[in-house]
Amino acid sequence: MLISTAHAQQAASSDPTGGFMQLLPIILMFVVLYFLMIRPQMKRAKEHKALVEALARGDEVIAGGGIAGRITKVGEQFVSLEVAEGVEIQVQKPAVQLVLPKGSLKAL
């Protein structure tokens, strides 16, 4: 009976660093999550936004679904891609995934 009372008194004493030490693993998990997942995704989104804003007439691009073409007209929301001689399609600007070096489409 005396032993259980002694353990109860020891557990009831408050240690100011004890609460922080219990939260430390959770805080570290969020920090690791930020640097491994959130930050790289934000960087990729920023690079894609810059790519979409820099689109110009004559650029050779690959759009979503693997469609390769040359930009003939740049609009506010859409771009026109010439995928074959005399064949143009309209795609949304964010669908453009990659800008190819000049002359890449001739090699295809």
Side-chain angles (χ1 to χ4, degrees):
M1 187 156 165
L2 293 175
I3 293 176
S4 61
T5 332
H7 283 296
Q9 287 177 352
Q10 186 180 16
S13 67
S14 63
D15 185 13
T17 61
F20 177 73
M21 293 305 286
Q22 290 177 348
L23 289 177
L24 189 62
I26 295 171
I27 293 170
L28 288 176
M29 285 181 1
F30 279 113
V31 169
V32 168
L33 178 74
Y34 176 77
F35 281 106
L36 291 180
M37 294 180 68
I38 297 170
R39 190 165 180 249
Q41 179 64 29
M42 289 175 19
K43 183 179 177 185
R44 249 180 272 128
K46 186 177 178 182
E47 289 172 355
H48 185 259
K49 184 179 178 184
L51 177 132
V52 168
E53 289 176 355
L55 291 176
R57 187 173 185 265
D59 285 346
E60 296 176 357
V61 298
I62 295 184
I67 299 171
R70 181 176 291 109
I71 296 177
T72 57
K73 184 171 63 171
V74 179
E76 191 71 26
Q77 298 288 326
F78 294 90
V79 293
S80 294
L81 291 182
E82 183 181 30
V83 293
E85 190 70 32
V87 179
E88 287 189 14
I89 61 171
Q90 302 285 324
V91 295
Q92 290 182 327
K93 276 186 169 182
V96 175
Q97 296 176 348
L98 180 65
V99 176
L100 300 171
K102 299 283 184 190
S104 297
L105 292 179
K106 291 180 183 177
L108 298 175

